[in-house]
Amino acid sequence: ATHGVIGGVSISKLREFKIHFPPANIQKKIVSKIESIFFKIDKLISSSELKQENINTLYEKAVTSIFINIKNLKKDKLSEVCEIITDGTHQTPKYSESGYIFLSSTNVKKRVIDWSNIRYIDEKQHIAMQKRVSPKKGDVLLAKNGTTGIAALVDRDLEFDIYVSLALLRSSRKVLPEYLLE
């Protein structure tokens, strides 16, 4: 009875809902077994969370030690280490059932692009948008609307377009694109 329901159920329908149940002694055994399993699951979750915290701490220490040992770190503006810093079209496109891929900030997840949930635009819009920016493999896409700051590396050679909710950073030879992603 603790399962969530999307949308909701009226009280009158809830009162009429039929459930199957065993005798009380069997119910007690089932509840005891379920509670035992949930206790084990909670212990595993706690252990996993602790391990993740330890991994994060070790990672931070490793990164910090690398930076402490590097002498004379160069410090430039982002515009000095990128060939291009721009965003996508500011016009809301007319979507199509097929055509050229059109990405927005919802397609940028932590470090990766979600290519499974994409929209399409026609060739005429694509040609116009490519004049503004033509993303390519190795570019960094940065969400600047919605969940701001989430970034992903373009991981394939593919013609596509982006919406204003995404910034595109194209690294110069001074900085690796993977480093920009971090």
Side-chain angles (χ1 to χ4, degrees):
T2 60
H3 294 69
V5 176
I6 297 174
V9 176
S10 69
I11 293 296
S12 60
K13 286 200 185 263
L14 189 60
R15 287 183 179 135
E16 299 299 317
F17 188 77
K18 293 182 181 181
I19 63 167
H20 300 282
F21 57 93
N25 62 332
I26 303 293
Q27 290 177 41
K28 286 179 184 176
K29 286 181 182 179
I30 291 170
V31 168
S32 175
K33 186 68 173 173
I34 290 172
E35 286 177 348
S36 169
I37 290 169
F38 278 131
F39 177 76
K40 289 176 184 174
I41 289 170
D42 287 342
K43 282 177 64 175
L44 288 171
I45 289 170
S46 294
S47 174
S48 175
E49 288 171 349
L50 182 60
K51 286 178 184 174
Q52 186 62 48
E53 286 177 26
N54 288 341
I55 289 168
N56 290 343
T57 301
L58 288 171
Y59 175 77
E60 288 172 15
K61 285 181 180 177
V63 169
T64 302
S65 69
I66 289 169
F67 286 123
I68 288 171
N69 293 327
I70 295 175
K71 303 283 187 219
N72 303 321
L73 286 178
K74 193 163 170 73
K75 188 174 184 179
D76 284 340
K77 293 179 183 176
L78 198 54
S79 61
E80 294 170 340
V81 297
C82 290
E83 292 176 18
I84 298 173
I85 300 175
T86 189
D87 55 11
T89 182
H90 290 231
Q91 304 299 317
T92 303
K94 182 179 177 195
Y95 299 110
S96 306
E97 291 296 317
S98 62
Y100 290 90
I101 294 172
F102 184 80
L103 300 180
S104 69
S105 60
T106 59
N107 298 103
V108 175
K109 307 299 181 193
K110 199 170 191 175
R111 303 181 54 81
V112 295
I113 295 172
D114 178 5
W115 296 100
S116 66
N117 186 20
I118 55 177
R119 297 180 115 170
Y120 298 94
I121 59 171
D122 63 28
E123 186 173 22
K124 182 180 177 186
Q125 293 176 98
H126 167 69
I127 290 168
M129 289 180 199
Q130 288 287 298
K131 290 176 184 172
R132 178 181 178 85
V133 61
S134 180
K136 66 180 188 178
K137 187 174 182 179
D139 287 345
V140 173
L141 298 180
L142 176 68
K144 62 184 201 84
N145 297 99
T147 309
T148 306
I150 303 294
L153 198 62
V154 177
D155 60 353
R156 52 188 77 175
D157 278 320
L158 183 68
E159 278 192 45
F160 67 93
D161 301 287
I162 61 173
Y163 195 45
V164 66
S165 60
L166 287 174
L168 181 142
L169 288 74
R170 184 166 297 151
S171 177
S172 67
R173 295 177 191 247
K174 289 183 179 180
V175 176
L176 295 171
E178 296 83 0
Y179 188 82
L180 271 181
L181 183 63
E182 296 304 322

